[in-house]
Amino acid sequence: MATSSPQTGGTGAWDRLSGLLGRGPGGYAFLSLYLLITSLTLLLNPRTSLLTDVIFILFLLLLLIVYRTRVHIGFKVALGVIALGVVLPYFGTLNPYYIDVATQAGIYVALALGLNVVVGFAGLLDLGYVAFYAVGAYIWSIFSTPQIGAMISGAVPVPNVWFYGFILVGLMIGGAFGVLLGLPVLRLRGDYLAIVTLGFGEVIRVLAENLDKPINITNGAQGIKDIARPPIFFSGALRAIGLRQLDDNQLYQFFFYFMVLVIVLITVMIVGRLKNSRIGRAWTAIREDETAAIAQGIPLVRMKLMAFGVGASFAGTMGVVFAAKQLFINPPTFDLLTSISILSMVILGGLGNIPGVILGAVLVTLLNLQILPRIAEILRSAKSAGVPIPQSFDPTQYQRLLFGLLLILMMIFRPEGILPEDRRRQELHEDEDEPSEESAGATA
Amino acid sequence: MAAEAKAPIRRVSSQRTLAELLRVIFLPLGQLFVFTVGSAAVLGVIVVVLAFLLSRSDPKIFETAVAILPQVIIDGIVRGFLFATIALGYTMVYGVLEFINFAHGEIFMVGGFVGAGVAYLLNQWGVMSTMPALLFVIIAVLLGMTVSGLLAMGTERIAYRPLRNAPRLVPLISAIGMSLVLQDAVRMIATNTPLGFNARFETPDFGKAFQLASIPLGARSIPVLIGPKAVIFIVAALLMLLALNYLVNATRLGKAIRAVAQDRATASLMGINVNQIISLTFLIGGALGGAAGVLFGMNIGTVNPYMGFIPGIKAFTAAVLGGIGNITGAMVGGIVLGFLEAFVASYLSLFTGGAFSGASYADIAAFSILILILIFRPEGLLGEATTQKV
């Protein structure tokens, strides 16, 4: 992505680009044309292939470009609605694989936004974030399947229409767990906090793996299958308006796609409002300097707990949706690597900056679900063509390497992320022209 | 930066008599001994009392609990020395840089793989069976120490040094990344060589386990065993502690390390090459981790690329438990944590009638200890209280 030097923070390239295409009639024409071309190429060539992947990414890139250009807000919204609300779902009927990727990306966007509240806004490094996601997922899984009977004898699964209520339950339980984790670790400084939250995440996973006895709560390592999906009340209406004969699975894909889209929009709105509120400023103050924040009269305990609670509640909500979408969950779904990948989304995009985090989440998800499998495919065909590639090398199996390199490189070369938050960019580059190596203690 | 209060050892006298020197070097052994015996005794008493209370419902519990107690204590010591040797690396680096080297568990794992690789090669060449066991241990450990130490130094140079003046979380995230990269890099190497993902660690024949005692339980008797590999592990760990103590407290290099830990800027004004000392700290810590990896792999018999992570976190727990930045503290923390885990792993399922599997809940016990320690005594067992400066 942005390749300019860190000092200018990428704005130079963007300024030039948006100067050319981002304003006036040129901007409107460019954006409309861009949308038209990418949509048409997608719709005319819906087969799963490398080319479609690239176009799909270009198509999603449109949203970023729209966000960065200075056109009328109504036009931006219209483009967004057409792209995400019409073109993408229609493309989904032609090739269900991509809409699934989009849904997955949406889930990760919401998770990354939630983690961003904790890490980006309040500056509390949480390495066990996936635990809250797991809690949400297990709540719905247990209550919607006969698993509940194994836990409380005689209990029957709740009717699947309760799913909508359980989204709120997931939100509340996730938030409660966030506060619960926050309470003991409030006094800890950044790096200790990271280890403790990591431990907490592992504890939740180990519990999920082992709580099949003495009372069978989570069904242990086998996981829970046949999780109920909510009833889709609009299927009749959709068929009535003459949409192609869609089977239930496709309907559910649409349902979850739009549901995730709505949740992401709500999340963006809430997080954006929070950021610019009194609470958001308090979080920033805590992140910058805890002691100074206390001196300013900021209630440290309440604010930190709120950051944990808010962040965790998004994960709890998404957990419920994820369980219903996936139909099957087991403990390894919620391992440390998932936490780390969400963290790398936040860091790649830009800690604290909402559009940046969304970008990071989409990029990492695409990388994970599309680009790596595609590279693997290319390597396989190259191998069968006789290129000497080691037998057991499969790029999809090297996510750790990828995330690890991503984290290291981002930290060394661009710690503020691709789309940085202004304040953080200044903070990270304030001592740029000071001699860096020897003055460590002197600057303290 | 509250570095000055967390220096490994506070005493800074320029001239020491031989007696003082010996005291500084061997005092930690005494502390270690006290804590080993103490925690074994406390946990043993707790277990016996619990078993006695439970034996009203099932009289066999008491008998079994007491019969396996010596073996559990031996397991605890072995486990404890494992955590202790890894924790030394964490604590060295933390003492000097106030930085949690997240990738240290992977340095440990690399040591294990080097050992497995050496064993594989020796086996291929056919010299393994004719080789004295002790010579094999020395070769494997030295090679493991070299590779791990250099690797730790390299990771510092690549991933941590450019970030030394950045906000605290930045190098930590970089270290997390380094940990993941090392895991998969080793996996890539291992799966593309004859070693494989689960690499077998061949060893020469060490002879039979020593039988320390035999406890009669009903008709049969339960032997209390300690394997020769475990003995080697414990002896090596003690030697490492002594060597490290000597290095830090009685050499010029050690004095430089302590100076850098206290105040980097002033140390550099006194003519100490701070970067070099930090590199050496990583080298030493990494070498200790590598040695632990080789010994651990030898003990277990197989190594895999992900084996370092959980012991790494637990060793960090041990370092915090003992008081991070404090060398003896790391050993003591490791021993206490090892005992605790061994006891939970062995007795939890016995006492709950098999309802909870002890091995899995041992992990939870370790993490709970970490949280409890950080809440109630963040300075650790042997550390002293520090306040955070503005």
Side-chain angles (χ1 to χ4, degrees):
Chain A
M1 292 300 291
T3 48
S4 57
S5 68
Q7 271 92 346
T8 55
T11 45
W14 275 115
D15 280 345
R16 252 172 286 137
L17 194 75
S18 55
L20 275 174
L21 297 168
R23 256 170 290 191
Y28 291 97
F30 168 71
L31 292 177
S32 314
L33 211 65
Y34 189 113
L35 176 63
L36 195 70
I37 292 175
T38 48
S39 314
L40 280 181
T41 10
L42 272 189
L43 297 180
L44 292 178
N45 181 23
R47 279 180 310 114
T48 308
S49 71
L50 183 64
L51 184 69
T52 321
D53 282 348
V54 173
I55 298 169
F56 187 65
I57 290 166
L58 286 176
F59 174 76
L60 291 179
L61 200 63
L62 170 77
L63 297 169
L64 178 68
I65 297 173
V66 169
Y67 166 74
R68 299 295 296 212
T69 49
R70 287 181 208 151
V71 291
H72 189 265
I73 183 79
F75 184 68
K76 288 187 181 183
V77 172
L79 277 187
V81 168
I82 293 174
L84 289 181
V86 180
V87 177
L88 195 59
Y90 183 64
F91 180 52
T93 61
L94 302 175
N95 188 338
Y97 169 68
Y98 286 97
I99 199 161
D100 197 49
V101 170
T103 313
Q104 204 68 36
I107 290 179
Y108 277 116
V109 167
L111 289 176
L113 283 171
L115 183 63
N116 182 44
V117 170
V118 188
V119 183
F121 292 172
L124 307 162
L125 184 56
D126 184 350
L127 293 181
Y129 187 65
V130 80
F132 310 121
Y133 187 46
V135 167
Y138 267 101
I139 290 284
W140 175 242
S141 311
I142 291 169
F143 278 90
S144 75
T145 59
Q147 183 64 33
I148 183 75
M151 192 169 111
I152 308 161
S153 61
V156 288
V158 297
N160 57 0
V161 71
W162 282 33
F163 171 77
Y164 302 102
F166 264 80
I167 290 186
L168 289 180
V169 173
L171 183 113
M172 283 183 293
I173 298 215
F177 264 79
V179 173
L180 219 63
L181 168 67
L183 274 175
V185 300
L186 273 178
R187 281 175 27 190
L188 305 182
R189 270 199 337 257
D191 36 9
Y192 281 124
L193 182 76
I195 304 273
V196 170
T197 49
L198 185 153
F200 175 75
E202 284 295 294
V203 165
I204 292 281
R205 192 182 57 79
V206 173
L207 280 181
E209 226 158 65
N210 288 289
L211 276 184
D212 49 349
K213 53 187 180 171
I215 311 167
N216 188 350
I217 299 176
T218 62
N219 205 22
Q222 284 113 42
I224 300 177
K225 60 180 184 344
D226 298 331
I227 298 164
R229 296 191 282 198
I232 30 180
F233 46 85
F234 52 84
S235 63
L238 272 185
R239 289 195 174 114
I241 61 169
L243 273 180
R244 290 178 337 128
Q245 209 52 37
L246 297 168
D247 60 35
D248 263 10
N249 272 333
Q250 274 181 313
L251 272 184
Y252 270 114
Q253 268 188 333
F254 283 124
F255 173 74
F256 283 115
Y257 171 74
F258 279 109
M259 167 151 236
V260 167
L261 192 64
V262 168
I263 293 180
V264 166
L265 287 179
I266 295 173
T267 310
V268 169
M269 236 161 3
I270 295 175
V271 172
R273 300 286 295 172
L274 271 177
K275 188 186 177 186
N276 296 320
S277 70
R278 179 183 272 274
I279 298 169
R281 289 197 302 276
W283 283 338
T284 313
I286 292 173
R287 185 187 76 200
E288 304 288 316
D289 191 332
E290 236 171 64
T291 320
I294 300 171
Q296 294 287 325
I298 289 171
L300 193 70
V301 172
R302 208 191 309 156
M303 285 300 153
K304 277 190 174 180
L305 285 182
M306 198 179 277
F308 269 114
V310 170
S313 58
F314 291 131
T317 311
M318 266 307 166
V320 173
V321 177
F322 174 78
K325 173 185 168 290
Q326 216 66 10
L327 302 177
F328 168 72
I329 56 167
N330 61 354
T333 320
F334 308 103
D335 62 354
L336 177 71
L337 196 61
T338 318
S339 283
I340 302 250
S341 67
I342 300 172
L343 180 70
S344 52
M345 290 168 192
V346 176
I347 283 165
L348 178 73
L351 267 174
N353 190 25
I354 296 168
V357 170
I358 297 176
L359 174 72
V362 173
L363 275 181
V364 171
T365 316
L366 288 182
L367 200 64
N368 226 344
L369 293 180
Q370 280 204 310
I371 299 174
L372 283 185
R374 204 65 66 217
I375 294 175
E377 211 169 85
I378 292 169
L379 281 185
R380 257 197 304 278
S381 57
K383 202 185 301 175
S384 56
V387 182
I389 293 166
Q391 198 57 47
S392 57
F393 183 73
D394 176 4
T396 50
Q397 297 298 308
Y398 286 92
Q399 290 170 331
R400 286 163 196 259
L401 194 70
L402 180 85
F403 291 140
L405 281 178
L406 203 72
L407 289 178
I408 298 175
L409 294 177
M410 287 306 288
M411 282 303 111
I412 293 179
F413 296 110
R414 207 175 155 84
E416 70 274 26
I418 295 174
L419 290 182
E421 192 202 18
D422 283 343
R423 182 193 295 272
R424 192 174 291 270
R425 187 171 64 226
Q426 287 161 11
E427 187 183 313
L428 282 166
H429 292 290
E430 65 189 344
D431 55 350
E432 202 79 292
D433 33 37
E434 284 175 28
S436 53
E437 295 285 40
E438 301 286 334
S439 62
T443 52
Chain B
M1 297 195 178
E4 58 269 47
K6 291 202 177 150
I9 295 287
R10 279 144 288 139
R11 288 178 51 103
V12 191
S13 61
S14 51
Q15 295 294 317
R16 269 194 268 248
T17 62
L18 185 67
E20 260 184 324
L21 191 66
L22 285 178
R23 206 175 72 90
V24 168
I25 294 171
F26 285 97
L27 181 70
L29 270 193
Q31 273 177 313
L32 195 60
F33 183 74
V34 169
F35 270 95
T36 310
V37 174
S39 48
V42 169
L43 285 169
V45 167
I46 291 175
V47 159
V48 169
V49 169
L50 271 180
F52 182 71
L53 292 178
L54 284 170
S55 64
R56 284 180 201 155
S57 56
D58 181 3
K60 283 198 75 154
I61 285 184
F62 185 75
E63 227 168 72
T64 320
V66 174
I68 63 173
L69 187 59
Q71 192 64 53
V72 172
I73 289 176
I74 287 173
D75 287 349
I77 292 177
V78 175
R79 244 181 232 246
F81 274 100
L82 168 70
F83 296 145
T85 41
I86 309 175
L88 285 176
Y90 274 108
T91 224
M92 289 278 293
V93 168
Y94 196 91
V96 170
L97 279 182
E98 291 221 347
F99 157 71
I100 300 172
N101 183 12
F102 217 89
H104 191 65
E106 273 59 49
I107 302 287
F108 157 80
M109 174 272 291
V110 167
F113 259 95
V114 170
V118 169
Y120 176 81
L121 285 180
L122 288 177
N123 216 14
Q124 287 297 88
W125 297 335
V127 288
M128 176 83 93
S129 47
T130 57
M131 186 180 242
L134 214 55
L135 180 68
F136 167 76
V137 173
I138 290 170
I139 292 175
V141 166
L142 283 183
L143 275 173
M145 284 175 90
T146 316
V147 174
S148 289
L150 291 177
L151 184 68
M153 215 162 96
T155 58
E156 191 270 336
R157 186 70 196 81
I158 294 166
Y160 310 147
R161 191 179 295 179
L163 306 172
R164 204 172 287 156
N165 295 325
R168 283 183 89 98
L169 290 187
V170 171
L172 181 68
I173 293 171
S174 178
I176 295 169
M178 193 40 103
S179 150
L180 296 175
V181 167
L182 286 177
Q183 286 177 9
D184 257 7
V186 170
R187 184 161 67 103
M188 197 185 286
I189 296 169
T191 51
N192 287 304
T193 54
L195 283 174
F197 182 84
N198 272 312
R200 269 173 61 86
F201 199 126
E202 312 271 356
T203 51
D205 189 17
F206 280 92
K208 275 197 297 191
F210 306 115
Q211 181 165 346
L212 300 181
S214 163
I215 297 161
L217 177 71
R220 43 202 188 97
S221 65
I222 294 181
V224 179
L225 299 172
I226 181 163
K229 293 173 188 173
V231 174
I232 290 176
F233 199 139
I234 293 170
V235 171
L238 286 176
L239 285 179
M240 281 193 265
L241 174 69
L242 282 182
L244 192 64
N245 252 313
Y246 174 75
L247 184 84
V248 171
N249 290 309
T251 61
R252 273 181 78 83
L253 173 64
K255 199 187 274 182
I257 290 177
R258 281 178 289 147
V260 172
Q262 280 194 2
D263 189 333
R264 239 181 283 161
T266 314
S268 82
L269 289 177
M270 299 294 145
I272 295 171
N273 185 341
V274 172
N275 276 331
Q276 199 186 347
I277 293 299
I278 291 174
S279 273
L280 279 173
T281 310
F282 271 88
L283 179 74
I284 297 165
L288 293 174
V294 175
L295 294 167
F296 176 73
M298 202 179 293
N299 234 342
I300 299 297
T302 65
V303 287
N304 76 61
Y306 298 155
M307 75 170 186
F309 190 76
I310 292 291
I313 300 294
K314 285 184 185 161
F316 173 77
T317 306
V320 173
L321 183 62
I324 195 154
N326 182 327
I327 291 172
T328 318
M331 292 293 276
V332 167
I335 297 288
V336 174
L337 190 70
F339 271 126
L340 206 90
E341 269 207 27
F343 273 85
V344 171
S346 312
Y347 284 111
L348 189 65
S349 37
L350 177 70
F351 284 172
T352 55
F356 293 99
S357 102
S360 331
Y361 284 91
D363 287 359
I364 293 185
F367 290 126
S368 314
I369 287 293
L370 175 64
I371 295 176
L372 290 177
I373 277 285
L374 284 174
I375 294 169
F376 293 110
R377 199 175 156 80
E379 67 273 18
L381 293 173
L382 297 187
E384 68 265 47
T386 58
T387 51
Q388 199 182 352
K389 282 200 295 187
V390 179

